[in-house]
Amino acid sequence: MEQFSFETYDFKRSLILVGPPGVWKSYQAMELYKRFPTEKQFDKYWITDWMFKQKTQSQDLNLRKAIDWQLSYEFFPMEIMIRCALLVYDDLGVSDDTKAYMKNLTFLLDERIRRGLPTIFTTNLTNKEIADKLDERIASRVLLNTDVVQMTGDDLRKKSARAFEYKVKKEEK
């Protein structure tokens, strides 16, 4: 298997970082997000699967209607996600899916594919698990023109935990 280099990633293809919890998938995605060359405020956007589901449930992912075109698209998160040059979608597959969630996610992926824009995904799910949990159509869209990076190792969060001992002294009477 070929070794992947985060330092030379060129943002020409989408990227999916796959692995168990704590192997710094989100951290690596954030480092790429910071490194992405940007000139405008909404050239890049970060969202988690949970936030996407919450925005779907609150119907906050509507597109502008004809009467809204005078408003900036910054008030319409779906339009930002569709248009931004780089989208990071963190923890794909964490949320339980609903019809509205699936519809919005499929629409988002289709529009980014149509525009040729890269997306960085992080997930604990394998390709098969994505297809089983979400849908084969979504798995296919996620994998189109995508480099898959399998991240392995120990849970670095658990390693960062410190353990202490504290002995309570009995009071003398």
Side-chain angles (χ1 to χ4, degrees), residues 10-39:
D10 60 8
F11 302 97
K12 291 186 176 155
R13 294 172 54 90
S14 287
L15 186 64
I16 184 166
L17 308 177
V18 180
V23 293
W24 286 21
K25 299 176 299 293
S26 297
Y27 173 81
Q28 291 295 351
M30 180 55 79
E31 290 301 308
L32 290 171
Y33 182 83
K34 287 188 223 173
R35 191 166 60 91
F36 183 76
T38 182
E39 294 176 16

Side-chain angles (χ1 to χ4, degrees), residues 21-25 27 152-161:
V23 293
W24 286 21
K25 299 176 299 293
Y27 173 81
T152 59
D154 295 329
D155 187 330
L156 298 170
R157 289 187 210 115
K158 286 181 182 176
K159 281 187 171 184
S160 71

